[in-house]
Structure formats: C-alpha cells, structure tokens
Amino acid sequence: MKNLVYVTGNAQKAKHFAAMMKMDIPHISIDVDEIQSLDIREVVEHKARQAYAQVKQPVIVEDTQLIFSSLGALPGPFIKWFQHELGHEGLCRLLGGKERTAFAGAAMAYFDGADITIFERQLEGAIVDKPSESKTGFGWNIIFKPKGSSITLGEMDELEFHRWYAQIKPFDELKKFLSSI
C-alpha cells in the first residue's frame, strides 16, 4: 500500500471514505474527466487510469449510481448531472406514478499502473415522493430510502447512516484486497 492515495474532488466523500476504511490512506483532490457511460465499471476504470497518469502512484477512485428501475439503467452514473439539472424535487417527480424501486450503488477501483481491480455493490430501496429533511445527507441521500428502512439515508443519524452506507459501497472487499497486497 506504499504511496496509495484516494482520489476525489468531493470532500464529503473523502471524509466518509476515511471513516469507513479505518486505514491511513491519504486523500488527494485532482480533476479527472468522467466519461459518459451507463457502465459504472467502465467509468471507474477510466477515472483510475487518468488519476494514476496524473499522480504516478497507486490510486483508489470511486463513483456512485442511482438506478430507477422504471427508467431502465437511468440515471445510473449520471445521477450527479440529473440532480444538478432537475434538483431533488425534480428527481422525485421524474417517476410520477411509475414504480419507485431503485438501486443505489457504487464501484471502487484500485490501479497501480499495471493492474486494475474493481469492486462493486448495490442496495435495493425506493425513491421517495418528495425529498426528506437532511441530518447527514448529501447528494441523492435525501431521496433514497433503503429497503428495510422507514426513512431516507439523509434522515438517519450518523451511526445508522454509516451502517447503510457500508451496504452500498464495497469497503469490506476493498479492505480485504488492500490487506493482501
């Protein structure tokens, strides 16, 4: 793990990554292009290769997606753009009377300049009718309610949020992998 860095421009994401990994992995903020693809694995592979080309040391990158079942693969990895264009209210209205099942997911990629390893997870839930009030939420957390929960991720206290967040992101798989290299 010598010289390994976590690359993201999102300070909130970096904070949660550090809290969940419980490993001493420094964070670095650099700009990388995000390709337009509904395949989240393709997106993180491209980000990892670009990040490595800039920092010349092993990197971890990630991306998230939110898939509305009634819209096929959308918004998927484009959720940030959809959120920017429509806002949280618009995202909720986008489904209208359609079925509201959704899948929150994430992919993380490790790249050392030679080998790339990608970890992926997703969690079933639903898009609420209107955004919730946020306690710990950021991004789309105020519109996604995990299956088995009565509230959105954004309404949860920090402890409960981290419990659900760990089901969306492949932290355990990444930790196990990093311990083996």
Side-chain angles (χ1 to χ4, degrees):
M1 291 196 323
K2 186 177 180 188
N3 300 323
L4 175 64
V5 294
Y6 175 65
V7 177
T8 183
N10 184 326
Q12 189 78 347
K13 202 181 262 191
K15 176 184 166 192
H16 284 286
F17 179 82
M20 298 303 288
M21 289 295 290
K22 295 181 177 85
M23 298 174 94
D24 187 23
I25 302 171
H27 159 246
I28 186 168
S29 178
I30 60 172
D31 289 325
V32 293
D33 295 328
E34 197 164 302
I35 62 169
Q36 301 302 297
S37 174
L38 287 171
D39 181 347
I40 195 168
R41 295 177 71 85
E42 188 177 334
V43 172
V44 295
E45 179 172 349
H46 184 281
K47 285 169 93 172
R49 291 182 186 282
Q50 250 197 351
Y52 182 86
Q54 289 185 47
V55 300
K56 307 281 192 259
Q57 62 193 78
V59 297
I60 296 171
V61 300
E62 71 174 279
D63 204 46
T64 61
Q65 64 182 351
L66 188 60
I67 298 169
F68 298 2
S69 295
S70 60
L71 299 181
L74 292 173
F78 300 126
I79 186 60
K80 186 176 176 182
W81 181 86
F82 272 72
Q83 184 177 310
H84 179 264
E85 290 298 312
L86 301 176
H88 293 111
E89 291 274 348
L91 283 167
C92 293
R93 282 193 310 269
L94 186 62
L95 293 174
K98 294 180 179 141
E99 196 263 325
R100 303 188 81 77
T101 299
F103 293 88
M108 295 180 177
Y110 167 87
F111 184 55
D112 63 8
D115 296 313
I116 189 148
T117 306
I118 299 173
F119 307 92
E120 185 177 6
R121 269 197 191 170
Q122 66 180 27
L123 177 67
E124 184 176 355
I127 302 302
V128 294
D129 292 327
K130 61 183 190 176
S132 65
E133 294 295 319
S134 178
K135 288 182 184 174
T136 57
F138 59 94
W140 42 261
N141 291 344
I142 63 173
I143 66 167
F144 181 76
K145 180 176 67 171
K147 185 176 184 176
S149 174
S150 60
I151 58 176
T152 67
L153 291 171
E155 294 171 282
M156 296 176 181
D157 63 35
E158 194 168 347
L159 185 62
E160 187 177 13
F161 172 77
H162 281 288
R163 188 172 60 81
W164 286 103
Y165 194 68
Q167 292 182 51
I168 296 170
K169 298 205 175 186
F171 295 115
D172 292 340
E173 296 91 329
L174 180 59
K175 280 191 244 186
K176 184 176 179 181
F177 171 78
L178 292 175
S179 296
S180 74
I181 59 173

